[in-house]
Amino acid sequence: MKNVISAVCIKCGAEVAPTPDITVCPHCGGLLDIKYDYKYIASKVTAKDISERRDYSMWRYREFLPVEENTPNTPLRVGWSPFYEVPKLAEVLGIKQLWIKDDGINPTGSLKDRASAMAVAKAMEAKADTIACSSTGNAASSLAGNAAAAGLKTYIFVPSRAPKGKVAQLMIFGANVISVEGSYEETFRLSAEAIDRWGWYNRNAAINPYLVEGKKTVSLEIAEQLGFRMPDYVAVSVGDGCTIAGVWKGFKDLYQAGIIDRLPRLISVQAAGCCPLNTELQTGKPWQPMEENTIADSIAVGVPRNPDKALNAVRESNGIAVNVTDEEILGAMRLLGRTCGLFGEPAGVTGAAGIKKARQTGLIPADATVVGIISGNGLKDVNNAIKAAGEPISIAPDMKLLLEAFDKKGFNLK
Amino acid sequence: MKNVISAVCIKCGAEVAPTPDITVCPHCGGLLDIKYDYKYIASKVTAKDISERRDYSMWRYREFLPVEENTPNTPLRVGWSPFYEVPKLAEVLGIKQLWIKDDGINPTGSLKDRASAMAVAKAMEAKADTIACSSTGNAASSLAGNAAAAGLKTYIFVPSRAPKGKVAQLMIFGANVISVEGSYEETFRLSAEAIDRWGWYNRNAAINPYLVEGKKTVSLEIAEQLGFRMPDYVAVSVGDGCTIAGVWKGFKDLYQAGIIDRLPRLISVQAAGCCPLNTELQTGKPWQPMEENTIADSIAVGVPRNPDKALNAVRESNGIAVNVTDEEILGAMRLLGRTCGLFGEPAGVTGAAGIKKARQTGLIPADATVVGIISGNGLKDVNNAIKAAGEPISIAPDMKLLLEAFDKKGFNLK
């Protein structure tokens, strides 16, 4: 990898050789961050080069990715998700210009496909034939799908409380699923022990420094889809912190390679019922574990696994922190559906809910240009969609009854 | 529309002016088919022109679509779904070369987005502000989403037995949903009466001849994604017949404009529990209504609304008809998941199930080149995914128990 210098520990600063199977710092156990040679990258690629490419997947940004030149693209078409300017929603929110990146349109329905595709690519480099992780949600299903397509085996540990539907998705992709009768913490520990014992490739969040590098491709795309002109703000829903860390890394990479000339400010959006990282950002006091009290299950993370990279990202960007209630999340689901035809899961629309809140509370000005990211498909969580959406008109098949029902609803039909 | 000559009745042959709001033949009530000027199209566009375009949506094929030159593209990014060569699955099935087109990766998760985007475009041309249809499934949700994005109102009539999840998707998109306490037939009739009364734009399947023209874009993409070299067979799941009619129209259009030099044979796949059209193809006797006895709800159509176009398509292509059991459909879900990392709903994978069956029964030879289409996302029907996928290993968090469980499963781990 001529573009990669090393993996740097974000705690002690030690530099480690970027072999495909590194996890945490061998000296202090801190998380690692991939360090690039931006001069080399800048000598190899320009904005124009990128724009002319025909590979419409996350792999169009090879120069910015920590993979060997001969590592094949992963089989599923991950990335280059739709990017919509949404003037109607901008008007409703009182914002000058607004775009939504719909990352629910990915092979397994979430932004996590980007991280999992990267994990599969690195596992292939490591000549591993098996990848493992513990997760209850999108990380698991994206790993199972991307690995199956590449012919790799997976072992996935889920707590027994995991929703049946997500377990079914894993089973469909042929993952070896171990349902652990215990807490998520116990599940994680059993997975770690098993990974250690059998030497499987490790796709546990935060632990594997390449995952953030996959996630950052969402920012590379946002930049390109905006013609490399940066917006003022980018709003991201935040759980364990890996996604917002990835989003920031992507923008910084482009900036340091001279492809963009300014950086956006991040809006870190957490659920009010589970907002340890935002609490630190808002109060300045070190974060404390919180209960996981929100319908937005994918970001219900009381003990975030990547707090440092996430907090650094928001602070470096001169960003802001916004918490939203479950009601506000459900409201964002309705608003995105009705004004844009977009359908995100609760955690997926939390960023958009945060944009609304930030505008209402004056944290961002009316003349701002803002990007929101939908991180997961609404079909992943139909029960909460039902909660958000309300009930239809219900009548017997009779025109008279239809007229009465419309009248009662106040529909003014000619 | 310089590329369109007229709308021709497939029953009495009458030619009708192709205004944006035509429905059925004013003379005999037969279904209409859009007739193109292929010489004009051939003078305007070549395969190379198409390949060089940057609009990766269904609207890249403007010359082949029945819209005015100044009609804007619809807002959601419909089409250009992933197209995968799947050598592992080809090997399992004993077929020379196999590709899968994953049309579940569309904004609302199904191939129906193509028809609904076309309906929205034509409704805009007709200066309608409201579109209506009756449907329980993907047609409804795709209409609701595409119309919401374009700022059009929708009235959607569903029978009260419609699955809650699909109703929720409609409500999220802000559709006016009328849940009719009655059969689908009664629902359809009430919708027809209401459409007539209020003059809403009509997106009822088969009735609106433009819908098939939207659906055909899946074939235009398949052809382009294959470099305009045709496979021997294309397998399609069949319910009311509109999709297979659209698939055939797409290939024929390309052939008649000189863009491809041969036509594939169609494999019409129906569920064994509801196969009126295939029964006619297999026995030669006119089709009869059937019960709707299959888990593949999107193609559980006992009284198909587009039988003539569908039957013509299969016969013209010298195609074959294959019926598959629910067990075979569930098997196809597992097989696509495990070998390709793809997840389709039951009706969505019925085409693939048919390829397997056709090979097993010798209806297609081993040296065939075949394309299958996944028409809907597996997340649309999680209950049947659970049925297909089996149960995970379930244990307390203890390595000894994990070892025992692996041993019992016969896992041979070093």
Side-chain angles (χ1 to χ4, degrees):
Chain A
M1 297 189 289
K2 291 181 194 156
N3 57 341
V4 173
I5 296 168
S6 64
V8 185
C9 176
I10 61 166
K11 215 159 141 194
C12 75
E15 297 207 19
V16 180
T19 52
D21 57 355
I22 43 172
T23 52
V24 292
C25 175
H27 308 294
C28 76
L31 298 185
L32 298 175
D33 188 43
I34 305 301
K35 182 174 164 184
Y36 291 90
D37 179 345
Y38 295 106
K39 266 195 190 156
Y40 175 81
I41 293 173
S43 77
K44 285 288 172 188
V45 71
T46 64
K48 190 164 167 285
D49 296 336
I50 293 172
S51 305
E52 283 168 0
R53 289 183 181 164
R54 289 283 176 171
D55 175 359
Y56 286 98
S57 80
M58 62 181 266
W59 298 110
R60 73 194 266 108
Y61 305 106
R62 279 261 170 176
E63 291 84 355
F64 289 93
L65 297 177
V67 287
E68 301 290 347
E69 275 175 43
N70 60 358
T71 299
N73 289 0
T74 49
L76 295 182
R77 192 184 77 182
V78 175
W80 202 258
S81 57
F83 186 73
Y84 299 115
E85 185 173 355
V86 287
K88 271 181 294 176
L89 182 56
E91 202 187 317
V92 173
L93 300 189
I95 284 172
K96 186 174 140 203
Q97 211 170 6
L98 180 63
W99 298 265
I100 301 286
K101 174 84 168 160
D102 187 4
D103 238 40
I105 306 299
N106 262 313
T108 77
S110 83
L111 188 147
K112 298 280 173 82
D113 276 332
R114 300 175 184 275
S116 290
M118 180 59 72
V120 166
K122 298 306 288 183
M124 305 281 267
E125 287 183 2
K127 309 230 182 300
D129 60 4
T130 306
I131 314 185
C133 78
S134 66
S135 154
T136 70
N138 294 331
S141 53
S142 67
L143 176 61
N146 281 278
L152 295 174
K153 279 196 295 245
T154 50
Y155 286 85
I156 293 173
F157 295 75
V158 299
S160 53
R161 68 168 163 82
K164 267 197 167 184
K166 293 194 175 178
V167 176
Q169 214 183 347
L170 299 176
M171 299 295 291
I172 284 280
F173 291 138
N176 296 299
V177 184
I178 299 101
S179 172
V180 179
E181 294 145 12
S183 68
Y184 182 72
E185 199 55 34
E186 289 171 301
T187 308
F188 183 85
R189 267 187 271 130
L190 184 62
S191 84
E193 205 180 330
I195 288 168
D196 205 42
R197 178 177 192 120
W198 286 295
W200 297 326
Y201 192 80
N202 190 336
R203 191 246 181 264
N204 273 330
I207 305 281
N208 180 329
Y210 295 111
L211 302 183
V212 161
E213 302 299 315
K215 287 187 175 178
K216 81 178 178 191
T217 57
V218 72
S219 296
L220 306 182
E221 290 176 17
I222 288 170
E224 182 176 356
Q225 287 168 320
L226 282 169
F228 299 102
R229 285 178 300 274
M230 285 297 96
D232 299 327
Y233 296 91
V234 176
V236 188
S237 56
V238 174
D240 68 9
C242 288
T243 298
I244 199 165
V247 166
W248 185 237
K249 184 75 180 279
F251 290 129
K252 274 206 335 189
D253 279 356
L254 289 175
Y255 184 76
Q256 289 182 275
I259 307 263
I260 58 175
D261 60 7
R262 70 174 185 126
L263 287 162
R265 296 174 65 182
L266 297 179
I267 306 176
S268 163
V269 192
Q270 292 207 288
C274 187
C275 53
L277 296 179
N278 275 1
T279 304
E280 172 166 339
L281 291 165
Q282 287 160 336
T283 65
K285 288 180 201 150
W287 68 270
Q288 300 290 327
M290 274 185 83
E291 289 203 17
E292 298 174 351
N293 188 14
T294 170
I295 55 164
D297 68 292
S298 317
I299 55 164
V301 184
V303 182
R305 301 199 168 269
N306 206 341
D308 297 341
K309 281 192 193 174
L311 293 166
N312 287 349
V314 183
R315 286 178 178 133
E316 264 185 47
S317 82
N318 189 24
I320 57 184
V322 186
N323 300 325
V324 291
T325 65
D326 283 359
E327 268 317 304
E328 289 167 330
I329 291 171
L330 295 173
M333 284 178 74
R334 284 190 296 271
L335 197 53
L336 282 164
R338 284 163 198 200
T339 60
C340 312
L342 300 175
F343 183 29
E345 65 173 324
V349 305
T350 298
I355 296 171
K356 184 174 177 190
K357 186 87 167 261
R359 182 66 202 99
Q360 281 171 337
T361 55
L363 281 169
I364 61 174
D367 66 351
T369 56
V370 186
V371 170
I373 299 169
I374 296 180
S375 53
N377 199 306
L379 289 171
K380 294 235 177 197
D381 184 357
V382 164
N383 284 341
N384 275 312
I386 291 169
K387 207 182 279 179
E391 294 290 333
I393 293 169
S394 191
I395 53 161
D398 184 285
M399 180 51 82
K400 203 168 138 269
L401 295 173
L402 184 65
L403 289 168
E404 280 174 21
F406 281 179
D407 205 45
K408 212 166 135 195
K409 282 256 175 187
F411 290 173
N412 187 16
L413 291 163
K414 296 155 285 199
Chain B
M1 298 189 289
K2 291 182 196 154
N3 56 341
V4 172
I5 296 169
S6 65
V8 185
C9 175
I10 61 166
K11 215 159 138 193
C12 74
E15 298 207 19
V16 180
T19 53
D21 55 357
I22 42 172
T23 52
V24 292
C25 175
H27 309 292
C28 75
L31 299 185
L32 299 174
D33 188 41
I34 305 300
K35 180 174 166 185
Y36 291 91
D37 178 345
Y38 295 106
K39 266 196 191 157
Y40 175 81
I41 294 174
S43 76
K44 284 289 169 186
V45 69
T46 64
K48 189 165 167 286
D49 295 336
I50 293 172
S51 306
E52 282 167 2
R53 288 181 183 168
R54 290 284 176 173
D55 174 359
Y56 285 99
S57 79
M58 61 181 266
W59 298 110
R60 72 194 268 108
Y61 304 106
R62 279 263 174 178
E63 290 85 354
F64 288 93
L65 297 178
V67 288
E68 301 290 348
E69 274 174 43
N70 60 358
T71 300
N73 290 359
T74 48
L76 295 182
R77 191 184 78 182
V78 175
W80 202 257
S81 57
F83 186 73
Y84 299 115
E85 185 174 353
V86 288
K88 270 180 293 174
L89 182 55
E91 202 188 316
V92 172
L93 300 190
I95 283 172
K96 186 174 142 203
Q97 210 170 5
L98 179 63
W99 298 265
I100 300 286
K101 175 84 167 159
D102 188 3
D103 238 42
I105 307 299
N106 262 312
T108 79
S110 82
L111 187 149
K112 297 280 172 81
D113 277 333
R114 300 175 184 273
S116 290
M118 179 58 71
V120 167
K122 298 306 290 182
M124 307 280 267
E125 287 182 4
K127 309 231 182 298
D129 60 4
T130 305
I131 313 185
C133 78
S134 67
S135 154
T136 70
N138 294 329
S141 53
S142 67
L143 176 61
N146 281 279
L152 296 174
K153 280 196 295 245
T154 49
Y155 287 85
I156 292 172
F157 295 74
V158 299
S160 53
R161 69 169 161 82
K164 267 197 166 181
K166 294 193 173 177
V167 176
Q169 213 183 347
L170 299 176
M171 299 295 291
I172 283 279
F173 292 137
N176 296 299
V177 184
I178 300 99
S179 171
V180 179
E181 294 146 10
S183 68
Y184 182 72
E185 200 54 35
E186 288 171 303
T187 308
F188 182 86
R189 266 187 272 132
L190 185 62
S191 84
E193 203 179 333
I195 288 168
D196 203 43
R197 180 180 193 117
W198 287 295
W200 298 327
Y201 191 81
N202 190 337
R203 190 248 181 265
N204 273 330
I207 305 283
N208 181 328
Y210 295 111
L211 303 183
V212 160
E213 302 300 314
K215 287 188 175 179
K216 81 178 178 191
T217 57
V218 72
S219 296
L220 306 182
E221 290 176 18
I222 289 171
E224 183 176 356
Q225 288 168 319
L226 282 169
F228 299 104
R229 283 179 300 275
M230 285 297 97
D232 299 326
Y233 296 91
V234 176
V236 187
S237 56
V238 174
D240 68 10
C242 289
T243 298
I244 199 164
V247 166
W248 185 238
K249 184 77 181 275
F251 290 128
K252 273 206 333 190
D253 280 356
L254 290 175
Y255 184 77
Q256 291 182 274
I259 307 262
I260 57 174
D261 60 7
R262 69 173 185 126
L263 288 162
R265 295 173 66 182
L266 296 179
I267 306 177
S268 163
V269 192
Q270 292 208 287
C274 188
C275 53
L277 297 179
N278 275 0
T279 303
E280 171 165 341
L281 290 166
Q282 288 161 336
T283 65
K285 288 179 201 149
W287 68 271
Q288 299 291 328
M290 273 185 82
E291 290 204 17
E292 298 174 351
N293 187 15
T294 169
I295 56 166
D297 67 292
S298 318
I299 55 164
V301 184
V303 183
R305 300 198 170 270
N306 207 340
D308 296 341
K309 281 191 193 175
L311 293 168
N312 287 349
V314 183
R315 287 180 178 133
E316 263 186 48
S317 82
N318 189 23
I320 56 183
V322 186
N323 300 324
V324 292
T325 64
D326 283 1
E327 269 315 306
E328 288 167 330
I329 292 170
L330 295 172
M333 287 178 74
R334 285 189 295 271
L335 197 54
L336 282 164
R338 286 164 196 199
T339 59
C340 313
L342 300 174
F343 184 27
E345 65 173 324
V349 305
T350 298
I355 297 171
K356 185 176 176 189
K357 187 86 168 261
R359 183 66 201 99
Q360 281 172 339
T361 53
L363 281 169
I364 60 173
D367 65 352
T369 57
V370 185
V371 169
I373 299 168
I374 296 180
S375 53
N377 199 307
L379 288 170
K380 293 236 177 194
D381 184 358
V382 164
N383 284 341
N384 275 312
I386 292 169
K387 205 181 280 181
E391 294 291 330
I393 294 169
S394 190
I395 52 162
D398 185 284
M399 180 51 84
K400 204 170 136 268
L401 295 173
L402 184 64
L403 290 169
E404 281 174 19
F406 281 0
D407 206 42
K408 212 166 134 193
K409 282 256 177 189
F411 290 175
N412 187 16
L413 291 162
K414 296 155 284 200

